[in-house]
Amino acid sequence: KPMFQGMIQKIGFPLKLDTLLIRNGNITYGENVPPSGEHWDIHFTHLEGTVTRITSIPEYQLIYSHFDAKIKGKIEGKGNLVMDLQVPYDRDEFRLSADFRNFKLTEINAILKPIMNGDIVDGQLHRMNLDIHANPREARVNFVFDYTDLKIELFKKGTQKKNKLLSSVANLALNHSNMPGDRKYLTPSYTLRRNVYRGPFYLMWQSTKEGMLNIVPGGAAKDILRPSEK
C-alpha cells in the first residue's frame, strides 16, 4: 500500500490547498486479529492543527518540495499528543515526530484487549516519543518510553483468569520504571522492515510496539502480548 506521498499521487484531479484546518477531529485506527476474528481500535480524539502546502499539481510540488502537518490531540480522550509530519513530494518517504504525555497505562487494557494475554494493573506514562524516518523498504526509529509504577497481571493460557505464579515472577523481573536518571534507563534506536502491503498507520503501530518490547524489561511486554503479536 502507498504511504502518504503515494496517497497524494493517487488524487485524480488538480488540488492545491495552502492550509487545511483541523478542528475537533477524530481518527480511528484498528486491526483484525486472526484467527479469532476479534478486532481492536485506537481512537485519536480532540484533534486540532493544520496541514499545509497540499497539492497534486506537479508544478506546485516542485515549488513546495513537501507538505507538513502539525496536530495536537488526545488518545481515547486522554493524555496530550503532539504530532509533526513532513512528507516530500519527490519520493515515498516521511518523517514523523509524535510526543504523547500524561496517560495511565491501565487505559491500554481496553484498547488492546484482543491481543493481550493479561492486564496492566498499574502504571503511569509520563512521556512517549516516537521519531520515524520511513521509506518504502524500512523505518529508522528513535523511541522514548518514560513510565513509573508499572505492574502487570498475566492470565492462565486460553483464559481471562489470573496466573498468580507467572504474574509474580513477571513483576519481580521487570523494572517498575524507565525514567531519565534511572540506572538502566533505555531509549532504543532500531530499524524495522516495512510491510509493503500495509499503510503508514500500521508502520507507526509496529514501530511503537517494537519500542515497547525493547524497553519494558524482564520479557514482560512479550509475556503480556499474545504470540502472534510478538
Side-chain angles (χ1 to χ4, degrees), residues 171-185:
N171 282 302
L172 286 172
L174 66 82
N175 285 340
H176 297 282
S177 73
N178 186 66
M179 294 291 293
D182 286 357
R183 186 168 60 89
K184 295 182 179 180
Y185 181 57

Side-chain angles (χ1 to χ4, degrees), residues 123-172:
Q124 178 69 33
L125 173 67
H126 297 276
R127 180 188 181 216
M128 184 185 77
N129 186 274
L130 178 70
D131 185 81
I132 302 177
H133 184 190
N135 62 45
R137 299 174 305 280
E138 63 185 21
R140 297 192 297 276
V141 185
N142 299 311
F143 192 70
V144 173
F145 190 66
D146 296 346
Y147 65 87
T148 54
D149 303 317
L150 177 62
K151 185 178 180 182
I152 66 171
E153 181 178 276
L154 299 179
F155 296 152
K156 294 179 181 179
K157 186 175 181 180
T159 74
Q160 297 289 304
K161 295 181 179 179
K162 178 180 178 180
N163 187 319
K164 294 182 179 180
L165 177 59
L166 286 181
S167 298
S168 297
V169 171
N171 282 302
L172 286 172

Side-chain angles (χ1 to χ4, degrees), residues 98 101 218:
R101 303 186 184 221

Side-chain angles (χ1 to χ4, degrees), residues 3 86 88 91-97 130-136 138-142 190-192 203 207:
M3 296 197 294
Q86 186 176 96
R91 57 196 182 277
D92 199 14
E93 298 184 1
F94 69 85
R95 292 292 303 259
L96 172 74
S97 175
L130 178 70
D131 185 81
I132 302 177
H133 184 190
N135 62 45
E138 63 185 21
R140 297 192 297 276
V141 185
N142 299 311
Y190 45 93
T191 299
L192 287 179
L203 182 59
S207 299

